[in-house]
Amino acid sequence: MKKYTIHRDVSPVRTAIDYERELNEEQRSVVLSGDGPILVIAGAGSGKTRVVTYRVARLLERGVPPGGILLLTFTNKAAREMLHRVEHLVKMDTRYIWGGTFHHIGNMVLRQHADRVGYNRNFTILDNEDAKDVVELAVRESGIDTKKRMFPKSGVLKELFSYAANTMQTIEEAVRERNPFFYDLLDEMASIHTIYTRKKRETNAMDFDDLLTYWHMVLSEDAELCKLYAMTFAHILVDEYQDTNRIQSEIIDFMGLINRNVMVVGDDAQSIYSFRGANFQNILDFPKKYGDASIFKLETNYRSTPEILDLANNSIAYNFNQFEKNLHSVRSNGVIPVVAPSRDVIQQAEFVAQRILELSDEGIPLDRISVLYRAHYHSMEVQMELTRRGIPFEIRSGLRFFEQAHIKDVVSFLRVVSNPNDEISWKRMFRIFPRIGKKTADNIYSYLKEHEDPFGPLMSKSIGEKFKSIRKENLDVWAELFTELKDLQNDEAPGDMISAVLKHGYIEYLKFTYPNYEARLEDLGQLINFSTKYQSLDSFLSELSLMSGLSGEEVVTAGDFDEERVILSTIHQAKGLEWQVVFIIWCAEGRFPNPKAVEEGAIEEERRLFYVASTRAMDELYLCYPILAFDRQAGHIIMRPSRFLAELKGSCYEEWSINEY
C-alpha cells in the first residue's frame, strides 16, 4: 500500500506582535514566561482573555505546533472568540488547536476511543431534555409506582445524577449532601440510575456528564493512552479554573502528566458556583499540586473606577481563604459608590426606578444599567415599579416573578375559590396531584360543573366514588384544604390561604418536582408577604393578573428608549458581564448573605458573590436595602444592613438619605 503524507507548516510563525505596547507589565510577564506549570490569578476586569489569547499566539510564535495546544474554556463562545483573536494576531489557521469546552474536547477524545468504555464511536449525545426523557423511561422500567406515592420527577433525578458525576460521588453520597429528604428513596434512586446507565449503553447514547466521566475513565484506566495524550499536548491552558469541579481538575492533571506545561487562569475571589459542584479548593491547591508552579497576579483593572475597586478590595479582604490581591484602576477618579437605605421595599423599588430615569436623561443607555440581586424573588417589587413607570426591562434570571410555574400553581387554588367557574385554574390545580393527567383533569372538571356547589364533592370526598383513580390521600387533602380555604375566604386573608396550600402538600410537591425547590419556596414566602398589602382576595388576584399580563416593553409607546432595556439579573447570572451603572438591591442581613449559607458556614462564598456583583459596575454603584420589611408571622421587622456593608470603611461609600415629596 502506498503511503501519502500531508505536510503542514509548523514553522515558527512570523508575527509583528508588539508585546511591549499591547500588554501591560503584568500581562506581559505571563505571556512571555517560560515552560512549566503556571497559575494566573486574574482579578476582575484585568484582561484575562487578552492574556490567554496572547499566550497562545506566543506559543505558536515559538514554534509549538497548533495540534500540541489544548485550550479549555467553559463556553464554546469563549473558545471561538479566543481562537479568532489568535488568528488575527498570528495570521494563521488555528483549526488544529484543540479548543473548546471540557465537554467538546471530551467528545473529540471519545470519538476515537469510545470502544474502550463499551460504546461505539458513532454514539449519540443526549441534550438535557432527551436525558430527562431517558430517566423517565428508567423510572417506568424500574417498576416504581409513581402514581401510588410521590416520587422525584425526572428533572430532579437527572440533576442529582449530574451532581454525583461531576463531583465523583456515589448516588448515596450525593443524596446525603444535596437531597437528604430523599434518603428513604435511596435504593429506588440507585436502581433507576443503574437502569439509566444501561439504557444509554443499549442505545449507544451519552449525556453531557458521560463525556467527562468516560474521558476520565479512558485516561485513568489506560496508562498507554493517557501517556499518548499527555505527550501530544505540549501546552494546556485552562480558563476560569476556579469554576472547575473534581472530575475536570483530574482530567487536566492526566492530560498534563508528562510535559506539565499547564497554565490555569482564574480568580479565587470569583468562585461562586459550589452549588453546581465547582470545587473552590482546585485553584487554592494548584501551587501544592504543582510544587514548581509560577504564580502571576493580574491586578490592573480596566473596567471600574478607583472608587468602586476600593470598595470591592475592602470587602473581599475579610475572606481568609484566598490569594491576596489588590486591584487598582487605570481609570481616572469617578463618583463614590452610594449606600441607599430606604424606608421599605416599596421605596427601594421607587428609588431604583427614579434613579434609572435620571440616569437615562443624563445619556446613559438603559441596557448599560443593571439591577442585581441574590435571589430571584428579591426583584419582585422592582419589576412591578419598572412596569408601572413604563421602563422596559429584560430579566436574565428567569421568568417574570408572577409568570413562574410555582406561583401560578399556588394562585390557581385561590382563583377557584374566588371564581368556581375558572376552568383553567381547576385543571392546573388537579394536575399537581399524582395519578391525574390531562384527560382525568378534564373529566373531573366536567363532573364538578354539574354541581351547584363544585366544592361539595371535594369537601365530602364523594368524588372518590366517581373517579376510582383518585388516591384516598388526595381526597383527604382536598377535603381539608378546601374546607380551610372557604373559611379563610370569609376572612379575606390571601396570605393565610397561600400558607394553607403550602401546608397541604405543595411543599412536598416542590421537593419532588424541582431541583431548585428551596428558591421556589422562598418565592412563595415573598408572595405571602406581598399579599398582606391587599384587603381582599379579589383585589389581590386582580393585581396578579395585571402584573402577569404586562411586560416592561409592552407598556412603552413605540420608539421610547429605542428598544433599550434595563437588565435585571441574579448575581450568578451576571458573572463575566459589566454595566456602566449597577444597583445591588436587598443588601440586608437575612437576605444577602443568604441565611442558609450563613448556617452552613459558606459566608466566604457569599462575600465573593458580593465582590462579583460590585465589580460588574464600571462607573456607578448603588447598594440598596430597606430599613423595614414585612414578615407575615413576625409583622414589621427592622432590617440591618448586610454585614458586607457594615464591614466597609466609611470612606468607601457615600450614604444617601431618601426623602419623599
Side-chain angles (χ1 to χ4, degrees):
M1 181 181 291
K2 183 178 180 179
K3 294 184 178 180
Y4 183 86
T5 304
I6 295 176
H7 299 279
R8 293 173 181 159
D9 183 10
V10 294
S11 58
V13 182
R14 304 300 176 190
T15 69
I17 302 175
D18 189 343
Y19 295 103
E20 189 73 26
R21 183 179 64 84
E22 297 177 29
L23 302 172
N24 67 34
E25 184 177 351
E26 295 170 345
Q27 297 168 339
R28 199 162 53 248
S29 63
V30 176
V31 171
L32 302 181
S33 64
D35 292 346
I38 297 172
L39 170 62
V40 182
I41 304 299
S46 62
K48 72 173 177 66
T49 300
R50 189 175 189 84
V51 165
V52 175
T53 300
Y54 275 75
R55 177 67 176 179
V56 174
R58 176 62 176 172
L59 293 174
L60 294 171
E61 184 182 58
R62 284 171 45 190
V64 177
I69 299 174
L70 172 60
L71 173 61
L72 290 164
T73 63
F74 274 83
T75 66
N76 283 313
K77 180 182 177 183
R80 287 194 301 270
E81 182 181 327
M82 289 182 187
L83 294 177
H84 178 74
R85 292 187 186 182
V86 171
E87 281 190 355
H88 180 74
L89 287 171
V90 300
K91 308 297 191 267
M92 69 171 293
D93 192 348
T94 62
R95 283 181 299 169
Y96 299 113
I97 294 175
W98 286 53
T101 64
F102 282 86
H103 298 93
H104 175 72
I105 303 299
N107 175 55
M108 292 175 66
V109 170
L110 293 171
R111 291 298 174 189
Q112 300 298 315
H113 310 291
D115 55 303
R116 297 173 186 252
V117 291
Y119 275 84
N120 295 325
R121 297 181 185 183
N122 64 337
F123 60 85
T124 301
I125 299 175
L126 302 172
D127 63 24
N128 287 324
E129 288 304 312
D130 290 338
K132 285 193 288 187
D133 289 341
V134 179
V135 172
E136 185 64 37
L137 290 173
V139 172
R140 294 178 197 166
E141 188 171 317
S142 71
I144 299 169
D145 189 352
T146 58
K147 295 181 178 180
K148 190 174 180 181
R149 58 169 175 157
M150 292 194 73
F151 196 79
K153 301 290 186 185
S154 59
V156 175
L157 292 169
K158 179 64 184 68
E159 187 84 5
L160 181 71
F161 299 163
S162 180
Y163 185 82
N166 284 288
T167 56
M168 302 182 72
Q169 296 185 99
T170 63
I171 298 299
E172 180 176 1
E173 290 169 335
V175 168
R176 284 186 181 274
E177 183 178 334
R178 295 292 296 269
N179 306 86
F181 42 81
F182 289 153
Y183 196 74
D184 290 343
L185 303 173
L186 178 60
D187 289 343
E188 291 98 324
M189 295 172 76
S191 173
I192 291 167
H193 182 257
T194 300
I195 297 170
Y196 174 59
T197 302
R198 173 175 56 77
K199 291 189 79 66
K200 286 185 292 181
R201 285 189 175 277
E202 289 174 349
T203 56
N204 198 37
M206 295 187 192
D207 62 25
F208 291 143
D209 302 311
D210 292 329
L211 297 174
L212 301 186
T213 298
Y214 293 126
W215 181 13
H216 182 279
M217 187 181 295
V218 164
L219 297 175
S220 62
E221 295 184 358
D222 191 326
E224 287 301 311
L225 188 61
C226 180
K227 182 179 178 180
L228 174 64
Y229 276 102
M231 290 174 64
T232 298
F233 295 111
H235 287 269
I236 299 170
L237 300 93
V238 186
D239 190 27
E240 302 286 6
Y241 187 68
Q242 79 280 348
D243 294 333
T244 55
N245 54 42
R246 179 182 169 184
I247 197 169
Q248 290 167 335
S249 175
E250 291 193 7
I251 287 171
I252 293 165
D253 295 340
F254 280 127
M255 301 290 277
L257 196 59
I258 294 178
N259 292 312
R260 301 184 77 254
N261 294 322
V262 178
M263 186 177 98
V264 300
V265 183
D267 184 5
D268 56 292
Q270 298 188 68
S271 179
I272 59 175
Y273 294 122
S274 63
F275 66 94
R276 293 181 185 171
N279 189 348
F280 175 65
Q281 285 300 128
N282 286 345
I283 192 167
L284 291 185
D285 292 344
F286 188 86
K288 302 174 187 175
K289 187 188 303 180
Y290 296 86
D292 57 338
S294 301
I295 301 177
F296 298 89
K297 295 180 181 179
L298 305 181
E299 297 177 302
T300 303
N301 178 284
Y302 292 88
R303 175 186 298 154
S304 306
T305 62
E307 291 79 5
I308 291 172
L309 289 186
D310 183 40
L311 183 146
N313 287 332
N314 188 223
S315 175
I316 201 64
Y318 284 90
N319 272 10
F320 178 77
N321 295 302
Q322 63 170 317
F323 292 103
E324 289 188 13
K325 66 185 81 63
N326 189 50
L327 295 186
H328 55 272
S329 178
V330 300
R331 298 181 57 191
S332 56
N333 288 339
V335 297
I336 192 167
V338 171
V339 171
S342 52
R343 180 189 63 247
D344 53 27
V345 66
I346 301 301
Q347 192 182 68
Q348 175 181 249
E350 291 173 340
F351 167 74
V352 170
Q354 182 169 306
R355 188 71 189 116
I356 286 172
L357 289 174
E358 292 169 350
L359 292 164
S360 177
D361 289 342
E362 293 170 16
I364 297 176
L366 289 182
D367 57 5
R368 302 303 299 145
I369 302 172
S370 178
V371 182
L372 304 182
Y373 34 85
R374 176 64 179 83
H376 186 47
Y377 78 88
H378 291 169
S379 68
M380 182 177 70
E381 288 83 6
V382 171
Q383 290 185 43
M384 295 174 64
E385 188 62 27
L386 294 177
T387 300
R388 290 193 185 103
R389 295 188 183 226
I391 302 172
F393 60 92
E394 176 184 337
I395 299 176
R396 298 274 179 86
S397 53
L399 295 171
R400 295 174 186 271
F401 184 85
F402 299 111
E403 295 172 356
Q404 299 175 102
H406 53 294
I407 301 294
K408 288 187 170 184
D409 283 348
V410 171
V411 170
S412 68
F413 287 85
L414 277 61
R415 291 193 187 279
V416 298
V417 173
S418 174
N419 175 18
N421 296 314
D422 189 334
E423 180 178 355
I424 300 300
S425 293
W426 274 114
K427 292 179 179 179
R428 184 181 191 101
M429 181 194 72
F430 290 139
R431 295 187 65 182
I432 292 170
F433 294 91
R435 299 177 69 177
I436 299 179
K438 183 178 182 301
K439 185 176 180 180
T440 304
D442 290 344
N443 292 335
I444 294 175
Y445 175 72
S446 298
Y447 175 72
L448 294 180
K449 272 202 325 180
E450 298 172 0
H451 294 75
E452 184 176 345
D453 179 12
F455 297 100
L458 298 175
M459 296 163 70
S460 69
K461 307 182 191 179
S462 62
I463 195 172
E465 299 172 5
K466 176 72 173 177
F467 298 95
K468 303 296 184 184
S469 61
I470 301 177
R471 294 169 53 191
K472 181 181 181 302
E473 297 91 321
N474 288 0
L475 295 174
D476 294 339
V477 169
W478 289 350
E480 293 176 14
L481 175 57
F482 282 105
T483 299
E484 189 169 344
L485 290 178
K486 295 290 284 183
D487 290 341
L488 291 170
Q489 183 188 17
N490 299 325
D491 296 331
E492 301 288 359
D496 290 338
M497 296 175 75
I498 295 170
S499 295
V501 175
L502 298 182
K503 181 177 66 179
H504 287 87
Y506 195 77
I507 291 179
E508 288 300 302
Y509 173 79
L510 283 179
K511 289 181 179 179
F512 285 83
T513 305
Y514 299 109
N516 64 336
Y517 90 93
E518 290 175 317
R520 293 174 185 262
L521 192 56
E522 286 182 340
D523 288 346
L524 292 167
Q526 187 66 12
L527 183 67
I528 292 173
N529 291 337
F530 173 75
S531 71
T532 59
K533 298 190 303 181
Y534 298 91
Q535 301 300 311
S536 70
L537 175 61
D538 288 342
S539 62
F540 172 63
L541 293 176
S542 295
E543 181 73 1
L544 292 191
S545 296
L546 292 171
M547 295 308 302
S548 298
L550 291 176
S551 65
E553 59 268 25
E554 287 173 343
V555 297
V556 179
T557 57
D560 282 359
F561 302 106
D562 295 325
E563 302 298 319
E564 297 166 6
R565 295 176 177 85
V566 176
I567 304 301
L568 272 59
S569 174
T570 62
I571 302 167
H572 285 103
Q573 295 275 14
K575 187 174 174 293
L577 304 175
E578 61 184 28
W579 293 271
Q580 284 181 254
V581 182
V582 169
F583 295 83
I584 308 175
I585 59 174
W586 273 109
C587 296
E589 202 67 14
R591 298 293 191 277
F592 190 11
N594 180 277
K596 185 181 178 185
V598 176
E599 291 173 13
E600 296 177 351
I603 192 62
E604 291 207 349
E605 179 157 339
E606 288 291 296
R607 189 176 284 107
R608 293 196 296 269
L609 198 59
F610 181 76
Y611 175 85
V612 168
S614 302
T615 54
R616 299 311 93 195
M618 301 168 65
D619 301 333
E620 297 185 41
L621 175 63
Y622 297 86
L623 306 170
C624 310
Y625 70 93
I627 297 173
L628 287 176
F630 184 81
D631 181 86
R632 191 177 63 89
Q633 295 181 337
H636 284 93
I637 54 176
I638 297 177
M639 304 295 292
R640 292 182 294 124
S642 166
R643 67 187 69 190
F644 305 144
L645 299 186
E647 294 167 348
L648 296 172
K649 296 182 300 185
S651 59
C652 289
Y653 62 88
E654 177 183 27
E655 185 167 328
W656 284 13
S657 176
I658 300 175
N659 301 307
E660 295 181 356
Y661 297 97

